[in-house]
Amino acid sequence: MEDFPLLYKKDIIENLDSITTVKEKEAVANFTGGTTGASMKVLYTKDNVQERNALLDHFRAHYGYKLGKRCAWFSGKNIITEKDLKKGICYKDDYINRIRFFSTFHITDANFDVYWTAFCKFAPEFIVGFPSSVYELCAMAASRNLKLENKVEAFFPTAETLLPVHREIIQSVLRCKIADQYASSEGAPFILECTEGSLHIHPLTGIFEVVDENLQPAQEGEILVTSFTTEGTPLIRYRIGDRITLAPKEFKCNCGSAFPLVEKIEGRSTDYILSPTYGKVNLGNISNSTKGVKGVISFQVIQNELEKVEVLIIANDNFNKKQQEKFYHALSERFGVNMSISMNLVDNIPKEKSGKFRVVKNNIKP
Ligand SMILES: [Zn+2]
């Protein structure tokens, strides 16, 4: 693989016409969100789209899902209006496939009852979508001591990094299995969670190289992906901007699969706060800072200057003075003493245009 040069986002954005192997009208165009500034387009062959969907269907089938089972979907589509909300509507139904698409833009404390009622009434057997949205709904339910009556079989997170706190709260409120995955709309190969709870690289979908800051092979770091299902826009050693940690080679999974194991999907390599004391503090570390702190439903850390961060917090009544101090202390420990931290309680933290939620918004990264 080392004989091939790296492929960057910029290369694809600027040279798509010479990279792609298909005509746009014969292809399926896919746009990735503009979170890094530029929105990017890739062209898939129809065969590849079917192949990728078949893989996902096969993965979800391990957990009992098939199209037609009641499924709640939380993805970043603008599907409802303020007027709908006033009438108590926060979703759109696909009656044929029995999928209820919930808006991810309106999950707030004020709208909780509307969401919870629609969610319970629908009684989903499966859930697919943004973990932060499902988590928010569950966290609000938990702070009201509510649990879902019916049994959800499994939740399949998509598009965002599943954090340990997501897993914990969602499992406690919905009592369901959670089957994580890594994939991307550009067409990266797959990492899928097996029924034994391990993350396996799926080598039939492509190659993952994990590299350190000097692009040398590493156990933990950024990934270079080479995909077998993107013949329309070939991705070879594509620097996608996500990080993973591989599991030690000697690890074996009880499921019997020999596919390589991943210890953690760390998320976007740009999700970090720059600390004057410690350098990059990554998303996983930051999201852990609510451990043992009562009352925080969600929070976002915004950095506009090197020595200062603003923390927006949505919390319930349990977030008293003592818990606030605890949270402040946990953040301060991670960012170092030279970082000034201002904490602000808010009712709502806006989502990105893509509908995703960012725990970390770093506006000073190079
Ligand atoms: Zn396994």
Side-chain angles (χ1 to χ4, degrees):
M1 294 303 295
E2 278 111 66
D3 291 342
F4 286 90
L6 300 195
L7 179 69
Y8 290 85
K9 257 177 209 186
K10 191 167 154 280
D11 300 330
I12 300 178
I13 293 169
E14 290 172 4
N15 306 290
L16 184 67
D17 289 347
S18 53
I19 293 175
T20 183
T21 64
V22 280
K23 292 205 184 70
E24 181 147 8
K25 52 174 200 256
E26 289 151 20
V28 180
N30 203 310
F31 297 85
T32 62
T35 43
T36 47
S39 148
M40 193 174 105
K41 181 169 80 177
V42 295
L43 300 178
Y44 281 110
T45 65
K46 287 178 183 159
D47 277 0
N48 284 163
V49 172
Q50 287 195 317
E51 195 180 345
R52 292 180 70 79
N53 284 332
L55 263 157
L56 279 180
D57 281 348
H58 180 253
F59 160 59
R60 289 173 184 158
H62 280 301
Y63 294 85
Y65 179 71
K66 68 174 195 235
L67 195 63
K69 295 211 171 183
R70 271 191 324 283
C71 185
W73 207 285
F74 291 81
S75 67
K77 291 192 171 59
N78 271 308
I79 45 176
I80 60 158
T81 60
E82 288 297 325
K83 224 162 120 190
D84 289 333
L85 257 186
K86 284 205 183 90
K87 282 189 269 176
I89 301 165
C90 56
Y91 60 85
K92 285 267 185 328
D93 277 331
D94 168 351
Y95 290 106
I96 296 169
N97 298 309
R98 299 168 90 197
I99 300 171
R100 180 163 285 189
F101 292 93
F102 284 91
S103 164
T104 50
F105 291 94
H106 303 91
I107 307 172
T108 60
D109 208 53
N111 296 331
F112 174 79
D113 288 336
V114 171
Y115 272 89
W116 190 249
T117 309
F119 188 74
C120 293
K121 215 165 161 188
F122 181 61
E125 296 163 271
F126 294 90
I127 304 171
V128 177
F130 296 165
S132 68
S133 301
V134 178
Y135 161 79
E136 265 186 315
L137 188 65
C138 289
M140 290 177 200
S143 66
R144 290 163 169 81
N145 284 320
L146 295 168
K147 275 206 166 63
L148 196 68
E149 300 240 326
N150 83 295
K151 188 171 161 24
V152 175
E153 288 294 329
F155 166 44
F156 304 106
T158 62
E160 297 173 330
T161 310
L162 177 75
L163 302 170
V165 61
H166 294 155
R167 208 181 260 279
E168 186 189 318
I169 298 290
I170 293 169
Q171 247 158 6
S172 81
V173 173
L174 305 181
R175 291 159 296 159
C176 62
K177 285 193 192 122
I178 299 180
D180 200 10
Q181 64 169 54
Y182 174 82
S184 79
S185 41
E186 293 108 300
F190 289 97
I191 297 172
L192 302 171
E193 182 168 335
C194 72
T195 46
E196 293 290 324
S198 307
L199 295 163
H200 291 270
I201 286 175
H202 202 301
L204 302 177
T205 63
I207 299 164
F208 285 87
E209 294 171 78
V210 182
V211 294
D212 63 18
E213 310 227 324
N214 303 314
L215 302 174
Q216 295 308 304
Q219 188 82 11
E220 175 188 351
E222 260 192 77
I223 49 177
L224 308 175
V225 298
T226 299
S227 177
F228 298 157
T229 58
T230 56
E231 288 158 284
T233 309
L235 301 179
I236 299 166
R237 305 196 84 204
Y238 171 52
R239 192 168 185 182
I240 195 164
D242 290 322
R243 297 173 61 91
I244 65 172
T245 303
L246 294 171
K249 281 221 165 53
E250 62 272 19
F251 275 33
K252 295 250 168 343
C253 181
N254 287 333
C255 78
S257 166
F259 287 179
L261 291 165
V262 169
E263 192 179 302
K264 253 192 295 182
I265 299 169
E266 316 249 16
R268 295 167 10 124
S269 56
T270 48
D271 278 349
Y272 62 84
I273 291 293
L274 200 56
S275 150
T277 318
Y278 302 123
K280 288 181 184 176
V281 185
N282 67 31
L283 167 70
N285 193 0
I286 295 166
S287 65
N288 264 340
S289 52
T290 52
K291 229 185 173 140
V293 179
K294 290 195 189 89
V296 177
I297 289 177
S298 69
F299 72 98
Q300 182 177 63
V301 185
I302 305 166
Q303 185 172 31
N304 291 317
E305 295 166 53
L306 179 61
E307 297 186 339
K308 199 173 158 193
V309 287
E310 187 187 2
V311 185
L312 305 179
I313 304 162
I314 301 177
N316 62 29
D317 295 342
N318 294 327
F319 193 56
N320 57 25
K321 196 104 206 148
K322 195 172 155 215
Q323 300 303 324
Q324 290 179 24
E325 274 163 21
K326 226 169 157 181
F327 187 40
Y328 181 89
H329 184 75
L331 288 171
S332 176
E333 220 172 54
R334 285 160 177 79
F335 299 145
V337 286
N338 294 321
M339 181 76 94
S340 121
I341 302 169
S342 74
M343 302 204 317
N344 296 306
L345 282 167
V346 294
D347 294 330
N348 187 26
I349 301 172
K351 305 272 156 66
E352 302 301 301
K353 242 193 273 163
S354 58
K356 295 186 201 177
F357 180 79
R358 301 244 90 98
V359 176
V360 169
K361 286 191 77 144
N362 178 337
N363 297 325
I364 63 161
K365 66 186 172 235

